[in-house]
Amino acid sequence: MKNIKLIILVFTMAFGLVSFNTLSESSKYKCMIQMTNYTGEGAYIVISLLNPEGEYVETLNVIGDDDEWYNTIESWWDFYGKKRNDIDAITGATVSGGQRTINVIEIDDDKLDKGYKLRFESAVEDQEYYESDVELELTSESVKSKVEGKGFIRYIRMMPQ
Amino acid sequence: MTLSIWRFSHLMLALVSSLFIVLASVTGTILAFEPISNQLESYQINEDTTLATTIESLTNSYDEIITISTDENDFVIASVITKEGDSETFYINPETGEKLGELIEKSTLFKFTTNLHRSLFLKSTGRFIVGLVSFFLILMAITGLVLIAKRQGGIRRFFSKIVNENFEQYYHVELGRWFLIPVIIVALTGVYLSLEKFSLLPESNITHTYPKDVSEDIDKIPFSDFEVFKSTLISEVKNLEFPFSDDVEDYFFITLKDRELLVNQFSGEIVSEQTYPLVHMLSQWSLFLHTGQGTILWSIVLALVGVVLLFFIYSGFAMTLKRQKSKVKIKNKFKKEDAEYIVLVGSETGSTFRFATLFHKALLAGGKKAYITELNQYTTYHKAKELIIFTATYGEGDAPINATKFEKLLGTIENSKLNYSVVGFGSLLYPEYCKYAEEVDNLLNAHSNFNRKLELIKINNQSFEAFKNWILKWNTVSNQNLIITQPTEKLNSKYTRTFKVVKRTELNIDDTFLLQLRPLKKIKFQSGDLLAFKPNEDEAAREYSIAKVEGDILLSIKKHDKGLCSTYFSTLNTADTITATISENKEFHLPTKTKDVILIANGTGIAPFLGMIHDNKKQKNIHLFWGGRTKTSLELYAGLLEEAKKQDKLYQLQTAFSQEQAEKIYVQDLLLQNEEFIAKHFQQNGVVMICGAIAMQSRVLEVLNNITTEQLNKPLSAFESNGQIKMDCY
């Protein structure tokens, strides 16, 4: 018995060290989304990280807490819906027309200046869906900028924490 | 049955929207519990804290504040970035900045129900349907309002007493009156919110003008020293957005209940202030009134509205079905050209038809050629000898829906000379009691071709006894012997008991006796309730108003020569048993709220009063006016009454004996002698109860009406609708 406990302990520690090493450094950014003055229900917005090939890598933030409406964000739903990673920790309340929302998102430092992109998708119940309401290349400059939106988002602003 | 336009619209709207109303009511009732459950959370805190205090306390514990807001429950929410750089949102104590708890997450049940309630899971289509049904609900409330006003005899009598026809009808009207306003509010705000969702309201957004050149050469002062934050209480704030960065072009943005402010983040100066337009305020109020957010009391009202709407749907359709069922199909054995007796009916709800058909059947059974139809179908009858009109009155003395054209027809249609008689149906609760029957009677009387055979009689509350009395009169005048058979009703077996005869007195001078019965199994009843007894299976039950004395039933019965029941009862001996049914007669119980009661009776009508007096433990001031034939008639009750007087259960007894002296004195004459006392009694909200023969009842009402009109300048109906008159006459 003692041996088993010891083995488990050793393995756990070893695994912990390994996984720690594989973790890359990451930074937090304050990100504000300012909505246009549209009327209707609160919008669902997903912020995703895309690789240089334009494929989904990670869901950074989900604005909208009722998962019943997640499928209205169609492209992302195709990616997320099948995998269903745990996103509970990064969801927030919906945001309505004219309002703003500020969230903190975390991005691995090694994704900067490598052709990765940030995509903001938005959808409003009974209204449109914008696959890329805001899309920007992830560079050390763009994370300090303001980008205009094409759909329900008027603009987004980012700032390193 | 023809329907009035109001009733037709009311019914059609209900038919079209009932399914959705059921859904919306059930879900609405469930949703009403969300604000209630939220309010029961204890995040409510001192509302006198200033915004400056809250900002100061939060600045100490967190890296950055993003927003501070209050929700519909007046809980304060802060969204901050922690020292670790994570963003978090939670309830705080605005005084200390301390975290009180995580945000209340809308439960799956409420999420699901909200969706169903708003859009039936049909998205825009569903939203549209719900909005439309809300609009229909407003129309239903309005048509309902008109129907109640008509039924009650005018809008000013809106809240007067309702005639209780049956459970569904009574509560449909009663709840309709009390919930009219909440229902309209719910429906109106529902429509408003739908219009808002479909962007059909005027634009309500306001825009701020941002200053063009902003100098950065300002002394920075701490946020908590800003005048605007110091002078604003946290309870007034809906939302406060902190500047995104320390760029001077980023401002504080404050949303208050009625306006928005833009505040310079360095100087604390208000650079823009915009007041919300009316539409915005209306939207806020609509949302509040429709959802009850933030108040337990209004949420309860909203929950009740849901339940009441369900009841409206149920009772409305139950009523319609009942009406449909009782709808009398006019069946005629003879053609109108051949008939000698023409029965014409004016009825709004169909109940008058019941009596008319009974009479029609009796005519046919008596070998007469009779024809029955609605007053609006009045035409030339070639062989007719006699016209018998049965009519109710609608609203403020108007013709019922199927009699509206009668007056006009009367002027144009030719008939040879006819005898006629009119029977009016109605309720004494209305000031315009049998007004239309009177009008018809007058019209015919003024017409040279008609000859009044019998005086107009008025029948209160569909009294079958009164109707039988009229048949007797009609028989006498016509030298006929028509027999009306009362439809046998099933008695409610739940209240059927076996009773043992405890005592029976001998017949007195008026052939009257007392019968004391004891239920073998426990049953709850009160003096004034009714005991129904069927002498045999095929007969309709006879009802006796009962007195409760020491748990026993005491009946006062007059033996009639041909009376099946009374004869049977008069032969009962102690220890015999009978089976009978007790039915509650709520309308005729001793009032609990008034101290002064006048009881008026003649003959055996005294029975329920004997029990009420005997049971008068609270020592109400009971004044009994009784009319009998002779002094000896009173002896039957004298023992009980003297005992009651000794125990202060009976304040005064006044008697009138019709046969005792040369001129006849009746109970109504006693009332005339006590005019002032009675007027004062009415004025002080005293109650008058009347029990006895129909003829006595109408004389008494006449005298009472004279008294109130002369002394108080008000018709008796004013006091009747105030619930100050209770009657049980036969």
Side-chain angles (χ1 to χ4, degrees), chain B residues 191-452:
Chain B
V191 171
Y192 187 95
L193 293 173
S194 299
L195 291 177
E196 191 180 38
K197 283 281 136 49
F198 284 105
S199 314
L200 292 172
L201 296 173
E203 195 76 17
S204 73
N205 287 313
I206 50 181
T207 44
H208 293 269
T209 24
Y210 289 79
K212 275 182 189 148
D213 302 305
V214 202
S215 156
E216 293 206 33
D217 296 334
I218 315 169
D219 288 337
K220 287 190 186 179
I221 52 170
F223 300 156
S224 46
D225 283 348
F226 288 2
E227 201 45 52
V228 57
F229 292 162
K230 282 199 212 159
S231 62
T232 308
L233 295 181
I234 188 75
S235 52
E236 301 167 62
V237 178
K238 290 205 96 170
N239 195 34
L240 165 64
E241 289 180 359
F242 278 65
F244 178 67
S245 70
D246 50 14
D247 183 342
V248 72
E249 285 180 19
D250 279 338
Y251 294 90
F252 276 104
F253 182 64
I254 312 178
T255 315
L256 302 172
K257 291 202 168 76
D258 56 342
R259 66 209 141 97
E260 288 177 3
L261 306 175
L262 217 52
V263 176
N264 183 299
Q265 64 162 311
F266 293 152
S267 65
E269 182 200 349
I270 297 171
V271 296
S272 171
E273 178 165 359
Q274 296 278 331
T275 316
Y276 286 125
L278 184 67
V279 184
H280 183 91
M281 307 303 267
L282 281 177
S283 300
Q284 285 188 357
W285 270 99
S286 293
L287 194 67
F288 165 71
L289 288 173
H290 199 83
T291 59
Q293 283 171 349
T295 95
I296 292 187
L297 195 68
W298 183 247
S299 298
I300 292 172
V301 175
L302 291 176
L304 287 176
V305 165
V307 176
V308 165
L309 283 175
L310 288 177
F311 177 77
F312 283 155
I313 300 268
Y314 155 74
S315 55
F317 285 131
M319 263 155 43
T320 310
L321 286 177
K322 263 188 194 165
R323 234 169 238 163
Q324 218 53 26
K325 244 191 202 167
S326 68
K327 189 161 120 178
V328 185
K329 280 202 195 101
I330 299 180
K331 262 194 242 155
N332 271 307
K333 191 174 161 190
F334 296 98
K335 286 185 185 156
K336 62 176 190 284
E337 289 79 16
D338 305 328
E340 294 183 335
Y341 294 85
I342 310 292
V343 180
L344 295 175
V345 189
S347 176
E348 184 75 26
T349 58
S351 54
T352 303
F353 261 106
R354 279 204 347 251
F355 289 92
T357 338
L358 285 177
F359 182 69
H360 178 234
K361 277 186 187 153
L363 282 171
L364 294 177
K368 309 284 172 230
K369 287 186 174 172
Y371 182 79
I372 182 169
T373 190
E374 299 179 342
L375 275 162
N376 275 349
Q377 305 298 319
Y378 176 72
T379 181
T380 310
Y381 303 103
H382 298 294
K383 291 191 179 156
K385 288 193 291 194
E386 189 171 341
L387 216 55
I388 306 103
I389 297 175
F390 294 80
T391 186
T393 298
Y394 186 58
E396 293 172 271
D398 303 327
I401 190 83
N402 65 355
T404 46
K405 296 180 208 149
F406 178 67
E407 188 174 352
K408 214 175 147 195
L409 290 170
L410 199 62
T412 54
I413 284 163
E414 296 276 325
N415 266 315
S416 49
K417 198 146 176 101
L418 292 176
N419 280 332
Y420 81 90
S421 36
V422 180
V423 183
F425 289 84
S427 167
L428 274 161
L429 279 178
Y430 299 128
E432 310 297 354
Y433 176 54
C434 291
K435 185 83 175 284
Y436 182 68
E438 280 174 16
E439 202 181 309
V440 170
D441 189 48
N442 290 336
L443 277 173
L444 293 171
N445 200 28
H447 201 291
S448 56
N449 259 4
F450 294 93
N451 176 36
R452 190 193 269 146

Side-chain angles (χ1 to χ4, degrees), chain A residues 46-100:
Chain A
V46 171
I47 311 173
S48 316
L49 180 70
L50 308 184
N51 65 18
E53 285 73 48
E55 293 159 343
Y56 287 94
V57 178
E58 196 188 350
T59 305
L60 298 176
N61 209 328
V62 179
I63 292 143
D65 46 10
D66 190 351
D67 54 17
E68 197 182 332
W69 297 97
Y70 286 175
N71 60 6
T72 57
I73 310 162
E74 297 162 16
S75 300
W76 170 74
W77 181 250
D78 277 347
F79 157 73
Y80 166 77
K82 286 167 200 149
K83 292 191 175 176
R84 293 281 185 133
N85 311 59
D86 184 23
I87 54 162
D88 276 354
I90 50 166
T91 60
T94 50
V95 51
S96 305
Q99 289 185 339
R100 64 159 210 192

Side-chain angles (χ1 to χ4, degrees), chain B residues 559-578:
Chain B
K559 181 182 171 296
H560 295 277
D561 282 344
K562 287 176 187 167
L564 270 174
C565 281
S566 59
T567 312
Y568 174 73
F569 281 152
S570 71
T571 58
L572 288 172
N573 289 316
T574 312
D576 284 351
T577 56
I578 64 156

